Amino acid sequence: MIKYTDPLTKQLFVPKRKNQRFASRQNQIEYNNMIARTQRLAMKKIDMILKHNRKVLWRLLGEKPEYVVRKMRLISLGFDFNHYTHHVLVNEEKKKYALGIYDFMLENILNDNYKITRYATI
């Protein structure tokens, strides 16, 4: 009779199925919730900054197709230029990129002026 160790409680148990990893379903749920909570806490600080950045862009853009704003205005609203979700290729010929914050694009156009556009609709 082969015994396995439950990853949550570290107790030995005899599995009823060949793919059973936990002694009980409750142990499996608790273990998976613990792992998910650890991952959420690790990402919480950055996620809050990204969500705030998106909220700033959303409020400035509103229903307009695009909006031009100065860098100092973004900073005064609490926008953090060090945190963004991805880069967006704006001009392939000039290799020009813009910052992507979820479904928004923030492009540096001239003299610390930034153009905000929504490039994907949800």
PDB file of all heavy atoms in Angstrom, residues 1-4 12-16:
ATOM      1  N   MET A   1       0.840  -1.173   0.000  1.00  0.00           N
ATOM      2  CA  MET A   1       0.000   0.000   0.000  1.00  0.00           C
ATOM      3  C   MET A   1       0.893   1.247   0.000  1.00  0.00           C
ATOM      4  O   MET A   1       1.703   1.443   0.892  1.00  0.00           O
ATOM      5  CB  MET A   1      -0.884  -0.029   1.250  1.00  0.00           C
ATOM      6  CG  MET A   1      -1.938   1.007   1.232  1.00  0.00           C
ATOM      7  SD  MET A   1      -3.058   0.930   2.653  1.00  0.00           S
ATOM      8  CE  MET A   1      -3.612  -0.740   2.647  1.00  0.00           C
ATOM      9  N   ILE A   2       0.732   2.091  -1.022  1.00  0.00           N
ATOM     10  CA  ILE A   2       1.548   3.295  -1.167  1.00  0.00           C
ATOM     11  C   ILE A   2       0.863   4.449  -0.449  1.00  0.00           C
ATOM     12  O   ILE A   2      -0.336   4.673  -0.600  1.00  0.00           O
ATOM     13  CB  ILE A   2       1.752   3.646  -2.652  1.00  0.00           C
ATOM     14  CG1 ILE A   2       2.453   2.495  -3.364  1.00  0.00           C
ATOM     15  CG2 ILE A   2       2.529   4.932  -2.803  1.00  0.00           C
ATOM     16  CD1 ILE A   2       2.545   2.675  -4.855  1.00  0.00           C
ATOM     17  N   LYS A   3       1.642   5.197   0.327  1.00  0.00           N
ATOM     18  CA  LYS A   3       1.123   6.361   1.033  1.00  0.00           C
ATOM     19  C   LYS A   3       1.745   7.615   0.440  1.00  0.00           C
ATOM     20  O   LYS A   3       2.897   7.616   0.028  1.00  0.00           O
ATOM     21  CB  LYS A   3       1.438   6.283   2.523  1.00  0.00           C
ATOM     22  CG  LYS A   3       0.681   5.197   3.235  1.00  0.00           C
ATOM     23  CD  LYS A   3       0.912   5.268   4.713  1.00  0.00           C
ATOM     24  CE  LYS A   3       0.080   4.205   5.412  1.00  0.00           C
ATOM     25  NZ  LYS A   3       0.207   4.297   6.861  1.00  0.00           N
ATOM     26  N   TYR A   4       0.945   8.672   0.398  1.00  0.00           N
ATOM     27  CA  TYR A   4       1.400   9.961  -0.117  1.00  0.00           C
ATOM     28  C   TYR A   4       1.282  11.010   0.978  1.00  0.00           C
ATOM     29  O   TYR A   4       0.519  10.850   1.927  1.00  0.00           O
ATOM     30  CB  TYR A   4       0.571  10.387  -1.329  1.00  0.00           C
ATOM     31  CG  TYR A   4       0.817   9.535  -2.548  1.00  0.00           C
ATOM     32  CD1 TYR A   4      -0.061   8.520  -2.899  1.00  0.00           C
ATOM     33  CD2 TYR A   4       1.932   9.739  -3.340  1.00  0.00           C
ATOM     34  CE1 TYR A   4       0.156   7.726  -4.008  1.00  0.00           C
ATOM     35  CE2 TYR A   4       2.171   8.955  -4.457  1.00  0.00           C
ATOM     36  CZ  TYR A   4       1.277   7.957  -4.786  1.00  0.00           C
ATOM     37  OH  TYR A   4       1.509   7.172  -5.880  1.00  0.00           O
ATOM     38  N   LEU A  12       0.437  11.744   6.091  1.00  0.00           N
ATOM     39  CA  LEU A  12       0.444  10.629   5.158  1.00  0.00           C
ATOM     40  C   LEU A  12      -0.982  10.128   4.970  1.00  0.00           C
ATOM     41  O   LEU A  12      -1.767  10.085   5.918  1.00  0.00           O
ATOM     42  CB  LEU A  12       1.325   9.496   5.677  1.00  0.00           C
ATOM     43  CG  LEU A  12       2.826   9.766   5.687  1.00  0.00           C
ATOM     44  CD1 LEU A  12       3.568   8.605   6.327  1.00  0.00           C
ATOM     45  CD2 LEU A  12       3.339   9.989   4.277  1.00  0.00           C
ATOM     46  N   PHE A  13      -1.323   9.736   3.737  1.00  0.00           N
ATOM     47  CA  PHE A  13      -2.648   9.183   3.459  1.00  0.00           C
ATOM     48  C   PHE A  13      -2.550   8.182   2.319  1.00  0.00           C
ATOM     49  O   PHE A  13      -1.607   8.185   1.539  1.00  0.00           O
ATOM     50  CB  PHE A  13      -3.651  10.298   3.119  1.00  0.00           C
ATOM     51  CG  PHE A  13      -3.431  10.930   1.764  1.00  0.00           C
ATOM     52  CD1 PHE A  13      -4.168  10.531   0.665  1.00  0.00           C
ATOM     53  CD2 PHE A  13      -2.482  11.929   1.588  1.00  0.00           C
ATOM     54  CE1 PHE A  13      -3.970  11.114  -0.575  1.00  0.00           C
ATOM     55  CE2 PHE A  13      -2.272  12.518   0.353  1.00  0.00           C
ATOM     56  CZ  PHE A  13      -3.017  12.109  -0.732  1.00  0.00           C
ATOM     57  N   VAL A  14      -3.536   7.322   2.247  1.00  0.00           N
ATOM     58  CA  VAL A  14      -3.626   6.332   1.169  1.00  0.00           C
ATOM     59  C   VAL A  14      -4.614   6.892   0.150  1.00  0.00           C
ATOM     60  O   VAL A  14      -5.790   7.107   0.470  1.00  0.00           O
ATOM     61  CB  VAL A  14      -4.112   4.971   1.694  1.00  0.00           C
ATOM     62  CG1 VAL A  14      -4.260   3.986   0.542  1.00  0.00           C
ATOM     63  CG2 VAL A  14      -3.168   4.442   2.754  1.00  0.00           C
ATOM     64  N   PRO A  15      -4.169   7.153  -1.091  1.00  0.00           N
ATOM     65  CA  PRO A  15      -5.059   7.739  -2.088  1.00  0.00           C
ATOM     66  C   PRO A  15      -6.130   6.757  -2.557  1.00  0.00           C
ATOM     67  O   PRO A  15      -5.889   5.562  -2.656  1.00  0.00           O
ATOM     68  CB  PRO A  15      -4.122   8.114  -3.232  1.00  0.00           C
ATOM     69  CG  PRO A  15      -2.934   7.260  -3.072  1.00  0.00           C
ATOM     70  CD  PRO A  15      -2.811   6.960  -1.600  1.00  0.00           C
ATOM     71  N   LYS A  16      -7.309   7.287  -2.842  1.00  0.00           N
ATOM     72  CA  LYS A  16      -8.405   6.473  -3.370  1.00  0.00           C
ATOM     73  C   LYS A  16      -8.397   6.463  -4.893  1.00  0.00           C
ATOM     74  O   LYS A  16      -8.999   5.593  -5.505  1.00  0.00           O
ATOM     75  CB  LYS A  16      -9.736   7.012  -2.858  1.00  0.00           C
ATOM     76  CG  LYS A  16      -9.871   6.890  -1.356  1.00  0.00           C
ATOM     77  CD  LYS A  16     -11.134   7.533  -0.860  1.00  0.00           C
ATOM     78  CE  LYS A  16     -11.146   7.440   0.662  1.00  0.00           C
ATOM     79  NZ  LYS A  16     -12.002   8.420   1.268  1.00  0.00           N
TER      80      LYS A  16
END
